[in-house]
Amino acid sequence: MKHLQGHILLVEDDDLTSELLEKYLHSHNLSVTVLPDGERLVSTMQHQKVDAVILDIVLPGKSGLEWLEWLQIHYPQIPVLLCSRHVTAEDRVIGLSKGAVDYIVKPFHPKEVLLRLHNVLAKPTVTLPRVGIFQLDAQRAILIPYNGSSEHQNTNLTLHEVLLLQLFFAHVGELVTRDQIAECLHGSGHDPTKRSLDMLINRLRKKLGDSGEASRYLHTVWGKGYRFTP
């Protein structure tokens, strides 16, 4: 098995289970932070780099499934492995449908957890492109507050807004002409009115918090197009 590196966040209220797993993962060169409940999850995720989360379902306060939903909103790129003592086929379906990448049934051997982590961490990491305080999740058509900022919420995007941002990310710092935008959004041969394109740009600027007097991200190049500097 390939040598693993990374930081694992273990959210587990059973002291014996967390101590056993923490020691075993440490012995295989993985750093581990243990949380006895999910209440400290928010601050931990904001201040530490986490490569994967092992999340018990039965926790004091909010359940692991509720915290899984929070993680999927704010950190969808970080894999979450659920664990629980009593698991039915329906439980697995619910957990996986909420975004978990795997399900571990207690009692487990620590080596089983290590192998499952290996399968997850060996996969290429998907980095969401960032603009200002947001990250673009094109698959779900949303802007996510970077690092789980509690001051901002997810912002829904239209299909055209997603396509436009993807075009700009592919040409960071370059002039993107109005013709390029028209072809991206509508295909070749389409000539959108100046007003319709300006309205689209203005809506996107507002969602990025970039609608003040001086644009920080979407710069107008008069008579030509736009230049994007995230």
Side-chain angles (χ1 to χ4, degrees):
M1 184 171 63
K2 183 180 178 181
H3 176 70
L4 278 183
Q5 288 184 329
H7 179 205
I8 310 303
L9 184 58
L10 173 60
V11 187
E12 169 62 68
D13 65 327
D14 184 88
D15 292 339
L16 183 60
T17 299
S18 59
E19 182 179 355
L20 174 67
L21 191 53
E22 181 183 14
K23 287 182 178 179
Y24 186 83
L25 296 180
H26 270 308
S27 70
H28 287 79
N29 301 307
L30 288 168
S31 62
V32 181
T33 295
V34 178
L35 299 179
D37 55 55
E39 301 306 319
R40 280 171 276 182
L41 192 61
V42 177
S43 61
T44 302
M45 295 296 292
Q46 288 178 341
H47 295 99
Q48 297 188 36
K49 180 183 181 299
V50 176
D51 296 293
V53 178
I54 300 175
L55 182 61
D56 191 17
I57 288 183
V58 182
L59 293 170
K62 292 183 180 179
S63 72
L65 289 177
E66 290 177 281
W67 285 114
L68 172 62
E69 291 179 342
W70 181 86
L71 285 165
Q72 285 300 296
I73 291 172
H74 296 287
Y75 299 92
Q77 74 277 19
I78 297 179
V80 179
L81 294 80
L82 289 175
C83 62
S84 181
R85 188 170 300 277
H86 304 291
V87 180
T88 66
E90 184 179 359
D91 292 331
R92 289 177 183 271
V93 170
I94 292 173
L96 294 173
S97 68
K98 289 181 180 291
V101 298
D102 206 344
Y103 219 124
I104 308 168
V105 182
K106 295 179 179 180
F108 49 72
H109 191 287
K111 187 173 182 179
E112 177 190 355
V113 179
L114 182 67
L115 288 170
R116 290 176 183 266
L117 283 171
H118 176 270
N119 291 337
V120 169
L121 296 177
K123 296 178 180 178
T125 302
V126 177
T127 302
L128 299 179
R130 181 181 173 186
V131 48
I133 62 166
F134 294 105
Q135 289 178 297
L136 170 64
D137 187 338
Q139 184 174 0
R140 296 196 296 163
I142 57 174
L143 290 170
I144 303 168
Y146 181 72
N147 233 7
S149 170
S150 58
E151 297 179 8
H152 300 85
Q153 297 180 336
N154 288 351
T155 302
N156 293 323
L157 299 172
T158 66
L159 174 59
H160 279 177
E161 289 165 349
V162 171
L163 292 173
L164 189 54
L165 273 176
Q166 289 178 317
L167 175 64
F168 284 135
F169 273 116
H171 299 278
V172 170
E174 303 173 13
L175 171 66
V176 177
T177 67
R178 300 174 72 86
D179 287 342
Q180 285 177 284
I181 295 173
E183 183 172 353
C184 173
L185 300 183
H186 306 285
S188 59
H190 183 85
D191 185 19
T193 64
K194 181 179 185 299
R195 177 172 172 76
S196 66
L197 184 52
D198 287 346
M199 289 176 62
L200 175 61
I201 292 290
N202 288 337
R203 286 197 302 269
L204 186 55
R205 278 178 171 154
K206 288 181 180 179
K207 291 184 178 183
L208 293 172
D210 195 31
S211 57
E213 292 183 4
S215 296
R216 291 167 292 173
Y217 314 124
L218 287 174
H219 309 280
T220 300
V221 181
W222 294 107
K224 296 181 180 180
Y226 301 90
R227 183 172 284 109
F228 180 59
T229 54

